[in-house]
Amino acid sequence: MNGKPQKLDISPKILNNRTMIPLRSIFEACGIVVKWDDKKKTVSDVKGRNKLVLKADSKIALVNNKEKTLYASPIIINNRMYIPLRFVSESFGFKVKWSGDTNTVEINTN
C-alpha cells in the first residue's frame, strides 16, 4: 500500500479469479472507519465523504447511497469478511495494480 508492504493477520484469498481481502486490516491501514452489523451481516466503511455498504453473500453494494453491482460477493470465512479488493478500493478512488507474476496487489491511496 503506497509502496509499503502490509502485514495482515490472515491471508487474502483468490476465489473465482477474484482477489478477496480481509476487510478490517486493509481498511484500517487506509484510515477508513469500519462498522460491522452482525445482525444484518453488513459492513459500512466511511472515509471522508465516501461511504460504502457491503452485505455478506450479496453482489449489490451501496456506494455513496447508489447501488452498484460487484463482480464477487463479500464472503464470511471463519468469522471474517473477505471483500473484492479492486471494487472496494476503486470505490474510494484508490488505484489498484495486480501483478500475476508475483500474486501481489499494489494499492495507491493518493
Side-chain angles (χ1 to χ4, degrees), residues 37-105:
D37 183 329
D38 193 50
K39 187 174 182 179
K40 294 180 182 178
K41 301 295 185 217
T42 61
V43 66
S44 301
D45 310 302
V46 179
K47 182 174 176 93
R49 293 182 173 181
N50 293 319
K51 182 177 181 183
L52 177 64
V53 179
L54 300 161
K55 181 176 173 110
D57 301 317
S58 174
K59 286 191 175 182
I60 303 298
L62 290 177
V63 180
N64 298 323
N65 296 317
K66 294 180 184 173
E67 284 190 2
K68 302 284 183 174
T69 303
L70 298 141
Y71 294 112
S73 301
I75 185 169
I76 297 174
I77 301 172
N78 296 327
N79 295 317
R80 297 291 298 268
M81 182 180 264
Y82 285 79
I83 57 169
L85 174 65
R86 182 172 298 278
F87 175 87
V88 173
S89 296
E90 290 177 349
S91 293
F92 285 104
F94 304 158
K95 303 291 182 210
V96 179
K97 181 181 174 188
W98 167 255
S99 175
D101 294 339
T102 59
N103 283 341
T104 57
V105 177

Side-chain angles (χ1 to χ4, degrees), residues 28-39:
E28 288 178 348
C30 297
I32 297 172
V33 177
V34 178
K35 294 182 182 175
W36 172 251
D37 183 329
D38 193 50
K39 187 174 182 179

Side-chain angles (χ1 to χ4, degrees), residues 10-23:
I10 54 176
S11 297
K13 299 187 180 301
I14 297 178
L15 303 171
N16 299 319
N17 294 319
R18 299 288 174 201
T19 302
M20 306 291 279
I21 58 166
L23 174 100

